[in-house]
């Protein structure tokens, strides 16, 4: 089953098992909940400070950073413990059955 993950206007295509394709949105929500539980240093987090022009720190903390391949990696490693989704490199003329947006 072919699915796509959109980042802005850029689609990324993946071949997934039916269970993943049929539950793509639910998996995205679960991934978000999983991310929210991560604390401190982690490959999907980065410490960020926003400093205003007057020198005041308006934000200091960890922010999530991830892309479609990270989400697919999470599905394979954390959720299913096996390769159930792979990136499609040649994606000319593909029509996904499901699409999510990051």
């Amino acid at each position: 089953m072919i699915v796509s993950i959109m980042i802005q206007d850029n689609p990324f295509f993946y071949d997934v098992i039916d269970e993943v394709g049929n539950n793509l949105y639910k998996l995205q929500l679960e991934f978000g909940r999983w991310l929210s539980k991560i604390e401190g240093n982690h490959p999907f987090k980065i410490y960020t400070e926003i400093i205003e022009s007057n020198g005041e720190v308006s934000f200091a903390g960890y922010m999530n950073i991830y892309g479609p391949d990270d989400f697919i990696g999470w599905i394979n490693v954390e959720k299913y413990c096996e390769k159930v989704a792979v990136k499609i490199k040649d994606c000319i003329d593909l029509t996904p059955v499901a699409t999510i947006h990051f």
Side-chain angles (χ1 to χ4, degrees), residues 54-89:
N54 64 2
E56 181 180 321
V57 176
S58 61
F59 175 82
Y62 286 90
M63 297 177 65
N64 293 335
I65 55 163
Y66 58 90
D69 290 345
D70 299 316
F71 173 61
I72 294 300
W74 172 83
I75 288 173
N76 286 330
V77 174
E78 296 286 331
K79 184 68 181 165
Y80 286 88
C81 301
E82 65 179 293
K83 190 178 269 190
V84 296
V86 294
K87 188 172 190 172
I88 299 172
K89 295 180 189 218

Side-chain angles (χ1 to χ4, degrees), residues 5-8 28 31 66-69 71-72 100-102:
I5 300 173
M6 297 289 291
I7 304 258
Q8 295 175 349
Q28 181 184 21
F31 180 65
Y66 58 90
D69 290 345
F71 173 61
I72 294 300
I100 58 172
H101 299 267
F102 279 151

Side-chain angles (χ1 to χ4, degrees), residues 1-4 14-27 71-72 75 80 84-85 96-100:
M1 176 179 288
I2 306 299
V3 300
S4 69
Y14 299 88
D15 187 7
V16 301
I17 63 171
D18 289 352
E19 183 178 336
V20 170
N22 292 330
N23 294 293
L24 197 59
Y25 181 70
K26 287 180 184 179
L27 288 166
F71 173 61
I72 294 300
I75 288 173
Y80 286 88
V84 296
V97 296
T99 298
I100 58 172

